Amino acid sequence: YNEYKSYLRMIRSALRSPVTLPVGDATSGCKIIDLNFHGAAVQIGEISFTNNYSAFVTIKYRKRAVMFPDQTKPATVWHKLVPRTRLMVDAHSENGGHDTLIFSRKQMLEEPNDVTGLRFICKQPSAHWKTFGIDDIKCYTPPDKTAIPLMKAQTNNEPKDITRESVHSNGIHNTANITTFLQNLFSLNTIAGQTLNPKITNEFLGRFDKATCYEINLLAYN
């Protein structure tokens, strides 16, 4: 996900103060949060935010204002982008109260192109929480399909991992390397013995010869 995130560009936005809808003299469990993009029309590929004890959220988006023939002012139309989604398993409990949520284009009802604003409708039917809403709202552009992922190049100056080279992918040691190691060890042992005791015969011993017989342990590795 982090590699995918590098292809997304965060969109500059401005957040308005949340508005709690009143019900008579009391406050309701519904709060509206508006987000605009400084008058620009943008394409949205992803929306993320952190929950703050909101039980449900609905997201709507606003396109460029449309001027109808019989109107003197352009009409502002809000389209539903993300349907009513549950954020908390139980509105009276802590579960999901501070989760970070991400909505991609695949989860949206429409492709949000030419968007001038977003509206988050947060609902909390429980009176257990004094405040509720959503925080840290971020919007990102769709990923650039022409971008090429950067692969970490391995330089020739990096030290080789001998352990990895001597072990196959299935975890079994390479028998050819073991045989070569034993041959070198046997040759060093012979040279050391001849240096310390010159009377030892110089007769060449075969690969698996040992005192006119075969060494079964060496044969086992072949």
Side-chain angles (χ1 to χ4, degrees):
Y1 177 77
N2 291 334
E3 293 180 358
Y4 166 78
K5 200 79 173 179
S6 63
Y7 298 110
L8 303 181
R9 182 172 56 85
M10 191 167 65
I11 306 172
R12 288 183 63 250
S13 59
L15 187 68
R16 292 185 179 180
S17 299
V19 177
T20 303
L21 300 182
V23 179
D25 296 333
T27 57
S28 68
C30 182
K31 187 175 292 186
I32 294 178
I33 302 174
D34 284 344
L35 190 76
N36 63 70
F37 303 103
H38 302 283
V42 300
Q43 293 184 347
I44 297 177
E46 183 178 287
I47 302 172
S48 67
F49 59 83
T50 301
N51 189 21
N52 185 16
Y53 296 117
S54 291
F56 303 93
V57 69
T58 301
I59 305 177
K60 295 185 176 182
Y61 76 102
R62 180 185 61 204
K63 288 188 175 182
R64 288 184 182 273
V66 179
M67 178 71 76
F68 293 99
D70 56 345
Q71 292 179 334
T72 57
K73 293 183 178 181
T76 300
V77 180
W78 289 93
H79 305 266
K80 185 175 290 187
L81 186 62
V82 177
R84 185 173 181 262
T85 303
R86 177 181 291 274
L87 304 182
M88 299 174 66
V89 178
D90 182 5
H92 305 281
S93 66
E94 290 270 353
N95 293 338
H98 290 287
D99 289 348
T100 298
L101 298 103
I102 299 173
F103 294 92
S104 63
R105 278 203 167 200
K106 295 180 180 180
Q107 299 170 284
M108 300 175 186
L109 300 177
E110 301 178 9
E111 290 188 354
N113 299 324
D114 296 328
V115 179
T116 59
L118 290 176
R119 173 166 289 179
F120 300 84
I121 304 174
C122 306
K123 295 183 179 181
Q124 177 51 270
S126 175
H128 184 69
W129 315 107
K130 293 183 180 180
T131 59
F132 68 93
I134 56 176
D135 302 323
D136 197 23
I137 303 174
K138 296 179 181 179
C139 298
Y140 298 89
T141 58
D144 185 4
K145 296 181 179 180
T146 61
I148 301 175
L150 297 176
M151 303 299 293
K152 181 181 179 181
Q154 184 178 4
T155 61
N156 295 329
N157 297 329
E158 293 183 359
K160 295 183 180 180
D161 191 343
I162 300 176
T163 305
R164 289 186 179 180
E165 289 184 351
S166 61
V167 179
H168 290 298
S169 59
N170 57 4
I172 301 175
H173 288 273
N174 193 333
T175 56
N177 291 347
I178 295 176
T179 303
T180 304
F181 172 78
L182 292 175
Q183 282 183 292
N184 295 335
L185 184 62
F186 184 80
S187 300
L188 289 174
N189 186 40
T190 303
I191 295 172
Q194 291 177 355
T195 303
L196 295 176
N197 190 358
K199 294 182 180 181
I200 296 179
T201 178
N202 292 326
E203 183 180 356
F204 175 78
L205 295 179
R207 183 175 181 183
F208 303 113
D209 293 348
K210 185 177 180 182
T212 66
C213 65
Y214 287 100
E215 174 56 39
I216 190 64
N217 291 328
L218 295 179
L219 289 174
Y221 287 105
N222 198 27

